Amino acid sequence: MKSKITIGILGIQGDIEENKKVAEDALNHLKLTGTVQLVKYSQDLNEIDGLILPGGESTVVGTLIKIRDGLLTAIKRRIMEDMPVLGTCAGMIMLSRRAYDRIIGDTKQELLSSLDIVVERNAFGRQKDSFEAGLQIPALGQNSAFKGVFIRAPIVSEVGNAVDIIARLDDKIVGVRQRNIIATSFHPELSGDNRIHKEFIRVVKDYKLKKLTVDSNAV
Ligand code: GLN
């Protein structure tokens, strides 16, 4: 590959540093040259090949990226152009087309609406109801066991036709993929396991390779 991979982490609120560390670790494991940098303004998007939306508080992140120099629209546009995205927990909520809460109903928050899913926020309860659970994620290959860390996590209550379900907890959908978009209800950046980030970086690598080929054909 001609140039290095640049992974962006939306650096507004939430577990930004944790994601940065795991993404750097995943790049090293894959022996890829690349950097991981924070995205805070629209122009930062020009430098990245893939974006991670960390867990945190989706209402805060949504509001801030909406009022900040059109960052919400700019991210949405890049995703429409197929840029790979990994959204964890609040990041999954941000990507969804509709979010609601069992008690208050529609949460009327700013969403990217890039992923054809509906999510129920805080579906397992509040902070004190956080838990870890053993998951099976067949997309990870032979060793498909993965520790899911759930903190005020959403569940996916509806999926569109183009969406593959990649993880369930009992009968609940907690991981999905739609083309270059991967989203999890849990926090893979907190499980001490970089395999989901590695999978994401492989998607970014393929996207970058394709883009370089298209660009060089256009010259
Ligand atoms: N419940 C949070 C939200 O709605 C998500 C929690 C998390 O990311 N750990 O944004």
Side-chain angles (χ1 to χ4, degrees):
M1 181 153 25
K2 266 194 249 156
S3 59
K4 66 181 182 64
I5 288 178
T6 308
I7 304 289
I9 315 277
L10 185 62
I12 304 290
Q13 186 268 339
D15 53 356
I16 298 162
E17 281 307 315
E18 291 83 349
N19 268 291
K20 188 164 182 282
K21 258 196 214 113
V22 186
E24 281 166 350
D25 190 50
L27 276 169
N28 281 340
H29 268 210
L30 290 167
K31 298 193 170 38
L32 291 171
T33 324
T35 52
V36 183
Q37 56 196 50
L38 301 191
V39 168
K40 294 188 175 197
Y41 296 94
S42 299
Q43 68 190 41
D44 301 336
L45 289 174
N46 299 335
E47 293 164 31
I48 63 164
D49 306 302
L51 179 64
I52 298 177
L53 306 175
E57 178 52 50
S58 58
T59 50
V60 173
V61 176
T63 305
L64 290 176
I65 64 172
K66 168 92 186 209
I67 56 178
R68 173 167 300 192
D69 79 337
L71 184 53
L72 183 108
T73 314
I75 293 175
K76 222 175 135 134
R77 192 173 313 126
R78 281 296 305 269
I79 300 176
M80 267 163 67
E81 292 163 4
D82 253 3
M83 176 185 69
V85 194
L86 169 65
T88 74
C89 201
M92 171 191 254
I93 299 171
M94 289 296 311
L95 287 165
S96 71
R97 69 171 170 79
R98 182 180 161 235
Y100 68 92
D101 180 297
R102 205 177 306 157
I103 298 158
I104 62 170
D106 243 305
T107 46
K108 298 192 179 75
Q109 62 193 98
E110 298 297 340
L111 299 172
L112 290 159
S113 301
S114 304
L115 174 58
D116 192 6
I117 60 169
V118 175
V119 294
E120 178 182 325
R121 288 180 61 202
N122 302 313
F124 300 97
R126 301 281 152 184
Q127 194 83 15
K128 64 172 175 41
D129 305 308
S130 300
F131 63 98
E132 292 178 6
L135 304 171
Q136 294 295 328
I137 306 181
L140 291 176
Q142 231 169 20
N143 175 17
S144 60
F146 196 92
K147 183 173 86 184
V149 178
F150 292 83
I151 305 168
R152 293 187 300 125
I155 56 167
V156 179
S157 54
E158 272 179 49
V159 294
N161 289 338
V163 178
D164 290 325
I165 296 167
I166 60 169
R168 287 181 199 266
L169 176 61
D170 304 323
D171 58 339
K172 298 177 177 69
I173 301 169
V174 294
V176 293
R177 176 163 179 185
Q178 177 187 307
R179 291 172 58 89
N180 285 349
I181 306 174
I182 301 172
T184 64
S185 302
F186 50 95
H187 290 265
E189 69 281 10
L190 299 180
S191 60
D193 187 330
N194 64 16
R195 285 177 299 154
I196 290 188
H197 285 71
K198 278 205 308 216
E199 192 52 40
F200 171 65
I201 288 172
R202 283 193 200 100
V203 176
V204 178
K205 185 179 145 213
D206 289 349
Y207 162 79
K208 172 112 187 174
L209 209 57
K210 218 162 148 192
K211 216 160 152 270
L212 284 175
T213 316
V214 171
D215 289 352
S216 65
N217 286 345
V219 175

